[in-house]
């Protein structure tokens, strides 16, 4: 715990990590590291083939209980978003999109999430997303919404205040208004119904398999 290590394969600016400790993943103990610039600790699938080198030590402090909690909007953001102008129509929802309206003004988007409408970011997984605009989430909190490549509509990042630190601005993309009558919305109900039936079938199959499954005991040296 507290040892600083280096690893050439980790894509951070400094490539320095610090050993956090051990926790169980699927009942298997894993050693967790925190790499500089990352929002939290993670582990490797296997340590056997890594060439980690000890580069020093570091004193660590426990994260506060509210570390993952989204901070409350600042008074400036509340003032900026008290009269949102929903002028841009775009699919809302990553899998079963429904029509949504967004405020795409630069000052609003920058104030809420730090990026402008139409800017393309790359997240820490290498996925690209384009900024759509601002609208309240299900709790009524104004959020910056993104359309990730491969998704049908816009959504929000969880723990955005942490993951946005890893975002890289990689370009811009022109987005167009999408009318509520667009075909993307026409089969929403049918697709959702079909998926719910499919998931229900998988759930029943899983329960039947579990009824005949034996528990295994494992020993670790």
């Amino acid at each position: 715990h507290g040892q600083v290590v280096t690893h050439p394969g980790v894509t951070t600016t400094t490539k320095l990590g610090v050993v956090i400790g051990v926790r169980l993943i699927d009942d298997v103990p894993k050693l967790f590291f925190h790499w500089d610039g990352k929002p939290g600790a993670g582990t490797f699938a296997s340590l056997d083939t890594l060439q980690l080198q000890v580069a020093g030590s570091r004193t660590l402090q426990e994260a506060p209980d509210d570390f993952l909690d989204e901070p409350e909007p600042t008074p400036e953001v509340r003032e900026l978003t008290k009269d949102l102008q929903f002028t841009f129509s775009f699919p809302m929802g990553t899998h079963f999109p429904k029509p949504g309206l967004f405020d795409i003004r630069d000052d609003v988007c920058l104030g809420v999430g730090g990026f402008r409408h139409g800017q393309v970011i790359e997240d820490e997984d290498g996925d690209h997303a384009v900024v759509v605009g601002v609208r309240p989430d299900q709790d009524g909190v104004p959020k910056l919404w993104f359309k990730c490549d491969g998704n049908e509509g816009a959504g929000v990042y969880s723990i955005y205040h942490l993951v946005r630190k890893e975002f890289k601005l990689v370009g811009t993309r022109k987005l167009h208004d999408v009318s509520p009558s667009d075909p993307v919305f026409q089969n929403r109900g049918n697709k959702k119904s079909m998926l719910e039936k499919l998931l229900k079938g998988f759930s029943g199959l899983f329960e039947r398999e579990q009824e005949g499954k034996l528990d295994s005991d494992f020993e670790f040296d």
Side-chain angles (χ1 to χ4, degrees), residues 62-84:
E62 290 191 61
D65 293 338
D66 60 353
F67 176 71
L68 295 178
D69 295 344
E70 293 275 2
E72 291 291 327
T74 64
E76 292 79 11
V77 170
R78 290 191 181 278
E79 178 66 24
L80 190 65
T81 59
K82 68 179 183 180
D83 294 312
L84 292 174

Side-chain angles (χ1 to χ4, degrees), residues 88-100 102 128-130 132 145-156 173 175-179 182-195:
F88 188 74
S89 178
F90 199 79
M92 181 180 67
T94 56
H95 298 294
F96 305 107
K98 57 184 179 181
F102 298 85
H128 288 180
V130 59
V132 177
W145 291 60
F146 295 79
K147 163 67 169 62
C148 295
D149 290 352
N151 289 345
E152 296 186 35
V156 297
R173 189 181 302 170
L175 292 178
H176 299 280
D177 271 299
V178 179
S179 168
D182 191 277
V184 70
F185 305 117
Q186 292 180 2
N187 296 322
R188 179 175 183 268
N190 292 335
K191 289 192 296 183
K192 187 173 183 180
S193 177
M194 290 176 61
L195 182 58

Side-chain angles (χ1 to χ4, degrees), residues 161-205:
H161 64 297
L162 298 178
V163 300
R164 66 175 287 186
K165 299 175 182 178
E166 292 295 303
F167 288 175
K168 298 177 183 177
L169 183 61
V170 295
T172 59
R173 189 181 302 170
K174 177 67 174 178
L175 292 178
H176 299 280
D177 271 299
V178 179
S179 168
S181 61
D182 191 277
V184 70
F185 305 117
Q186 292 180 2
N187 296 322
R188 179 175 183 268
N190 292 335
K191 289 192 296 183
K192 187 173 183 180
S193 177
M194 290 176 61
L195 182 58
E196 288 174 344
K197 291 180 180 179
L198 183 62
L199 291 175
K200 185 176 181 181
F202 275 127
S203 177
L205 177 62

Side-chain angles (χ1 to χ4, degrees), residues 201 203-213:
S203 177
L205 177 62
F206 176 76
E207 290 175 356
R208 290 195 296 273
E209 288 180 345
Q210 291 299 305
E211 291 174 357
K213 187 174 181 179

Side-chain angles (χ1 to χ4, degrees), residues 105-106 108-121 131 133-134 144 146 160 164-165 167-169:
R105 291 174 294 169
D106 282 351
V108 173
C109 292
L110 287 170
V112 172
F115 297 96
R116 291 183 174 90
H117 167 79
Q119 287 186 319
V120 178
I121 61 95
V131 178
V134 170
L144 190 63
F146 295 79
Y160 181 74
R164 66 175 287 186
K165 299 175 182 178
F167 288 175
K168 298 177 183 177
L169 183 61

